Coordinates of all heavy atoms in Angstrom, one line a residue:
C7 N 8.4 13.4 -3.5 CA 9.7 12.8 -3.2 C 10.3 12.2 -4.5 O 9.7 11.5 -5.2 CB 9.5 11.7 -2.2 SG 11.0 10.7 -1.9
P8 N 11.6 12.6 -4.8 CA 12.2 12.1 -6.0 C 12.5 10.6 -6.0 O 12.6 10.0 -7.0 CB 13.6 12.9 -6.0 CG 13.8 13.3 -4.6 CD 12.5 13.5 -4.0
V9 N 12.5 10.0 -4.8 CA 12.7 8.6 -4.7 C 11.4 7.8 -4.8 O 11.3 6.9 -5.7 CB 13.4 8.2 -3.4 CG1 13.6 6.7 -3.3 CG2 14.8 8.9 -3.3
C10 N 10.5 8.1 -3.9 CA 9.3 7.2 -3.9 C 8.0 7.9 -4.5 O 7.0 7.3 -4.6 CB 9.0 6.8 -2.5 SG 8.3 8.1 -1.4
N11 N 8.2 9.1 -5.0 CA 7.1 9.9 -5.6 C 6.0 10.2 -4.7 O 4.9 10.6 -5.2 CB 6.6 9.0 -6.9 CG 5.9 9.9 -7.9 OD1 6.3 11.1 -8.0 ND2 4.9 9.4 -8.5
A12 N 6.1 10.1 -3.4 CA 5.0 10.5 -2.5 C 5.0 12.0 -2.4 O 6.0 12.6 -2.4 CB 5.3 9.8 -1.1
L14 N 5.2 15.4 -0.7 CA 5.9 15.7 0.5 C 5.1 16.6 1.4 O 5.3 17.7 1.6 CB 7.3 16.4 0.1 CG 8.3 15.4 -0.5 CD1 9.6 16.1 -0.7 CD2 8.5 14.2 0.5
C28 N 14.4 10.1 2.3 CA 13.4 9.1 2.0 C 13.8 7.7 2.6 O 14.8 7.2 2.3 CB 13.2 9.0 0.5 SG 11.9 7.8 0.1
P29 N 12.9 7.1 3.4 CA 13.2 5.8 3.9 C 13.2 4.7 2.9 O 13.7 3.6 3.2 CB 12.1 5.6 5.0 CG 11.0 6.5 4.6 CD 11.6 7.7 3.8
Y30 N 12.7 5.0 1.7 CA 12.6 4.0 0.7 C 13.7 4.0 -0.3 O 13.7 3.4 -1.3 CB 11.2 4.1 0.0 CG 10.1 3.8 0.9 CD1 9.4 4.9 1.5 CD2 9.7 2.5 1.2 CE1 8.4 4.6 2.4 CE2 8.7 2.3 2.2 CZ 8.0 3.3 2.7 OH 7.0 3.1 3.6
A40 N 6.2 2.4 -0.8 CA 5.7 3.6 -0.1 C 4.2 3.6 -0.1 O 3.5 3.8 0.9 CB 6.3 4.9 -0.6
Ligands
LIG1 ZN1 10.2 9.1 -0.6

Side-chain angles (χ1 to χ4, degrees):
C7 173
V9 179
C10 72
N11 201 34
L14 288 183
C28 181
Y30 297 96

